[in-house]
Amino acid sequence: MESEEAERYQVDTTLPQEMGSITVARRLAGTVLRECGYQGRHEDVLLVVSELVTNALVHGDGPPSLRVRASVARVRIEVGDAGVALPETREPGPANGWGLHVVRLLSTGWGISPAESGKVVWCELAARFAPIQVTPSEA
C-alpha cells in the first residue's frame, strides 16, 4: 500500500547499467532526504537504495530506474528494470548476499509490482518519532 504522504518530494531517473550507479543512486537519495527534511535514519534509506539498485544491476535486465518519494516522516524507494524474473528471497549470508533480507528488516513494507516493461521493487521506510512527554507542570 502506498502512502499519500510519501509523495511530497519526488525524483525519477534512469541510471546507467553499471555498478557505479549504486553510488549515484545513494547520492541522489541522500539529497532527497536532506531536501525534504526526512526525520528517519538516512543510513537505513541509503542501505536499502544500495541493495535494490545492486539487485537490479546483478539480476535484472537493462538500465535500472530509480524513483524516490519522500516527506518528513516517510520515504518510498522504487527501483525498476526490464527483467521479468522476480526477485527471490534467499537465506541471507556470504554466499547469497543480504539484499532483500536487509530491505525487509529496515522497511515498513516492500513488494514487487509489474511495470509496463519489467518490474519495480519498492519499499517504504518511516521515521520513528520519539513520543512527546508532557510533564505535570505542562498538563
Side-chain angles (χ1 to χ4, degrees):
M1 186 168 136
E2 186 173 333
S3 167
E4 289 180 29
E5 185 179 2
E7 296 182 306
R8 293 201 179 143
Y9 191 103
Q10 180 172 315
V11 173
D12 290 285
T13 190
T14 300
L15 301 166
Q17 193 174 349
E18 59 187 41
M19 296 309 274
S21 290
I22 299 164
T23 302
V24 172
R26 287 174 57 91
R27 285 185 185 144
L28 177 61
T31 299
V32 169
L33 298 175
R34 287 187 300 278
E35 291 287 325
C36 76
Y38 178 63
Q39 297 295 304
R41 290 178 42 90
H42 290 205
E43 301 84 8
D44 290 351
V45 176
L46 299 179
L47 179 55
V48 166
V49 167
S50 295
E51 294 296 343
L52 293 180
V53 172
T54 299
N55 281 352
L57 289 166
V58 172
H59 303 292
D61 291 327
S65 63
L66 173 68
R67 172 180 285 168
V68 181
R69 291 187 246 184
S71 69
V72 170
R74 184 168 301 279
V75 175
R76 181 176 173 97
I77 307 295
E78 299 178 7
V79 177
D81 69 77
V84 293
L86 300 178
E88 298 177 24
T89 54
R90 303 175 202 178
E91 188 62 33
N96 293 324
W98 302 94
L100 292 178
H101 182 70
V102 169
V103 172
R104 183 178 58 82
L105 288 175
L106 295 177
S107 301
T108 56
W110 76 279
I112 305 160
S113 301
E116 190 173 308
S117 137
K119 66 186 168 301
V120 172
V121 181
W122 61 268
C123 68
E124 286 195 359
L125 292 88
R128 291 176 177 87
F129 294 103
I132 297 173
Q133 296 184 3
V134 177
T135 61
S137 63
E138 295 175 329

